[in-house]
Structure formats: structure tokens, C-alpha cells
Amino acid sequence: QLAHDNIKVFHESQIFGEATVPKITVTLRKSYGGSHIVMGSKQLKTDLNFAWPSAEIAVMGASGAVAVLQAKAIKTCKEEGGDVAALIAEKEQEYSDLFANPYQAAKYGYIDDVIEPRNTRFRICHALAQLATKRESRPAKKHGCMPT
């Protein structure tokens, strides 16, 4: 069942990626890893990507990243009788500050701009006006996106 669901998501993201209409994405909260890619990212040729300042865009969530990246430190802390919860909380905050924020994503070109929530409607309307004359020429195809 899981494989079937993954294939379905892949197929739907492929259809989205091949669409020639204007594509605009606004990330409001969390967007991690593979789900970020299939939710309308630059990798799927989205025209404009925006994010709110509260958005988290990263490879993985802070708790998962800390569990993987700091496993040795957590184990050592536990063996020495230290405060494991405090260490995990500190490392999760550090990860969030360094990686899971929209400014890092903008720095690497994954999003175009970090926008204030109150300006969202204006920015989307402006983006649609900007993309109103979008024309994308594609090579002729014998077949379209066929379902799997």
C-alpha cells in the first residue's frame, strides 16, 4: 500500500511539474525533505515561491535531525547522568535557528521571498499579474503523463 501511495504522489507531482500555467507557492508552516519538493517547489518548476517568516523549510524536522546528528552526544549525556531533555531541546533550537527557517531557504534560492502574512494576498495578486503573459513552449510529445 505504501509503495502504491508513493507512486501516486510521484505521478501527481510529475503532472504538477509539467503544467504550463502560472504556479505560485506560499509556505505557511512546515515543509521538510521530499514533501517540500512535491508541494510546489523550485525543483518542480514553480514560478514563484514565497514563505512566511514562521515557516520551517529544511531537509528534516529539528527533532529528527537532532536524533540522527546528535545521537553520540545524547548517548554520552545519558551515560553520564546529564539532563538529556535539556540537551535535546538546546540542539533542536540550534538546528531550527541555523537550518529550519525561510531565510536559509531564500539564501539558497529555494524560495524567492519571505513575506509578511498580511501582505500575502497582495503578493499573490501581483505575482499573478506578473505571470499573466507567461508562455511556456515545450517540445511536442507523443504521449502525455501516463498513469502508473
Side-chain angles (χ1 to χ4, degrees), residues 21-24 47-48 126-135:
V21 298
K23 294 177 279 191
I24 302 166
D47 298 308
L48 293 169
H126 183 73
L128 287 170
Q130 178 184 348
L131 296 168
T133 58
K134 174 186 173 183
R135 296 290 176 262

Side-chain angles (χ1 to χ4, degrees), residues 5 16 22 28 33 35 38 51 64 67 69 82 84 86 102 104 129 137-138 148:
D5 291 345
F16 179 85
L28 308 178
S35 62
V38 299
L69 299 172
V84 177
Q104 283 294 107
S137 60
R138 299 263 174 119
T148 53

Side-chain angles (χ1 to χ4, degrees), residues 6-147:
N6 287 342
I7 290 170
K8 185 177 177 184
V9 167
F10 174 75
H11 176 67
E12 289 169 358
S13 64
Q14 186 180 19
I15 291 170
F16 179 85
E18 291 188 9
T20 58
V21 298
K23 294 177 279 191
I24 302 166
T25 299
V26 180
T27 303
L28 308 178
R29 285 201 73 232
K30 298 177 181 181
S31 184
Y32 298 132
S35 62
H36 171 72
I37 293 171
V38 299
M39 287 194 295
S41 64
K42 288 291 185 184
Q43 292 85 345
L44 281 180
K45 302 177 185 149
T46 303
D47 298 308
L48 293 169
N49 286 43
F50 302 118
W52 285 3
S54 59
E56 296 178 19
I57 302 169
V59 174
M60 62 190 320
S63 60
V66 168
V68 171
L69 299 172
Q70 300 294 328
K72 267 188 178 177
I74 292 169
K75 183 180 178 186
T76 303
C77 183
K78 192 180 288 185
E79 289 172 353
E80 294 174 356
D83 189 358
V84 177
L87 174 68
I88 291 173
E90 175 191 339
K91 295 298 182 182
E92 284 179 1
Q93 186 61 46
E94 185 179 317
Y95 180 87
S96 293
D97 293 342
L98 290 175
F99 302 110
N101 64 65
Y103 303 103
Q104 283 294 107
K107 177 179 166 183
Y108 291 109
Y110 297 127
I111 60 170
D112 296 306
D113 200 2
V114 179
I115 61 174
E116 290 296 321
R118 67 178 177 269
N119 296 331
T120 304
R121 182 181 302 220
F122 171 77
R123 293 300 297 266
I124 291 172
C125 291
H126 183 73
L128 287 170
Q130 178 184 348
L131 296 168
T133 58
K134 174 186 173 183
R135 296 290 176 262
E136 201 170 305
S137 60
R138 299 263 174 119
K141 295 182 184 178
K142 187 173 182 178
H143 303 288
C145 273
M146 302 179 102

